[in-house]
């Protein structure tokens, strides 16, 4: 049962994907009224426990932990160890009591296990208590990165997305603004359906890292989902094409937006021509090329390629392709 003490020390952090390093960095912090002799006895066994745990002699350490607890039940570290043993025995109630006591004795050192248990409880009142206590801890310890990370996840758990977003500011002040921060800001804004702000977060990061291909794709997808005008779509496609010059889908979409804008139609024709050479039976690409020909005034070519687009649609003709064909037939008589 105790073959892997490191796994025991992880305790309940699985929910949040973290690790509780404080369990390996115990300190003989204590609030007690022991006599000098009792304190010396306690410290002797306390450090004996530490030596055993550091050398992974977990079973051998257990009776000494229990003895230390009997000597001084007001030591935060020993309460934390008692909680870990209770957790290993699947004694949830006892574990919770010990972790709570460790937190009460030394909140700055032993907040993690107690609050993770509260957040995992599926009891909204307990979860709210955890959030309130962590907020107070964050005010007292504004440089605690792990605390802010768990607090942000707690806000997300409670669907308090605006507070989760606000928590990103102190996190950035601690570790700096980076792709992870930008992505978190993007996701939280998107979750709140604040598409404008989500787009701004992607654009903000791309100003710093214009060659980040993943973020270029995110921006393009956001622009497409929110139906941004060609004046915004064209630079987005151009940026991706610069990094991925063989991407025929981007070529097609860029050509199409150039047509919509009525700008640089010769470049639109060149890009679209490449797409149908690579995928000659793709009705979408054929439609774009036919429509580009129409915009350039090449009626016969336009009708030819639009007919091909209809032919390769295999009976499932896109309404837009059909409307392009009908307009070209009507105007090119």
């Amino acid at each position: 049962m105790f073959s892997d003490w490191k796994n025991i020390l992880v305790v309940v952090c699985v929910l949040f994907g973290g690790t509780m390093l404080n369990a390996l960095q115990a300190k003989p912090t204590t609030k007690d009224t022991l006599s000098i002799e009792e304190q010396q006895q306690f410290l002797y066994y306390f450090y004996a426990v530490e030596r055993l745990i550091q050398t992974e002699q977990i079973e051998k350490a257990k009776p000494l932990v229990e003895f230390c607890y009997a000597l001084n039940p007001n030591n935060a570290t020993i309460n934390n160890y008692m909680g870990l043993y209770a957790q290993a025995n699947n004694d949830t109630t006892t574990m919770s009591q010990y972790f709570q006591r460790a937190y009460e004795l030394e909140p700055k050192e032993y907040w993690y296990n107690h609050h993770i248990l509260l957040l995992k409880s599926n009891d909204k009142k307990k979860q709210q208590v955890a959030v309130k206590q962590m907020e107070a801890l964050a005010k007292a310890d504004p440089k605690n990165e792990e605390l802010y990370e768990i607090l942000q996840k707690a806000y997300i758990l409670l669907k308090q997305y605006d507070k989760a977003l606000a928590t990103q500011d102190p996190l950035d002040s601690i570790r700096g603004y980076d792709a992870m921060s930008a992505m978190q800001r993007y996701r939280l804004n998107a979750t709140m359906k604040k598409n404008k702000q989500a787009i701004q977060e992607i654009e903000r990061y791309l100003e710093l890292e214009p060659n980040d291909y993943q973020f270029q794709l995110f921006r393009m997808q956001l622009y497409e989902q929110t139906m941004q005008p060609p004046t915004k779509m064209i630079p987005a496609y151009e940026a991706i094409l610069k990094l991925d010059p063989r991407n025929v889908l981007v070529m097609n979409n860029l050509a199409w937006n150039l047509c919509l804008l009525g700008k640089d139609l010769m470049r639109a024709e060149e890009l679209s021509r490449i797409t149908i050479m690579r995928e000659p039976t793709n009705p979408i690409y054929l439609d774009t090329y036919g429509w580009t020909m129409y915009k350039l005034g090449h009626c016969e070519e336009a009708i030819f390629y639009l007919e091909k687009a209809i032919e390769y649609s295999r009976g499932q003709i896109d309404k837009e392709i059909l409307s392009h064909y009908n307009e070209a037939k009507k105007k090119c008589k």
Side-chain angles (χ1 to χ4, degrees), residues 42 84 94 99 106 205 214 259:
F42 173 80
L84 293 171
T94 304
F99 285 153
E106 293 291 338
Y205 182 73
Q214 191 62 52
C259 279

Side-chain angles (χ1 to χ4, degrees), residues 4 7 10 19 36 54 73 77 86 98 129 172 179 241 253 264:
D4 190 351
N7 288 336
V10 170
T19 56
I36 294 176
Q54 291 295 335
T77 303
Y98 283 128
V129 167
D172 288 352
L241 207 57
N253 292 353
D264 203 354

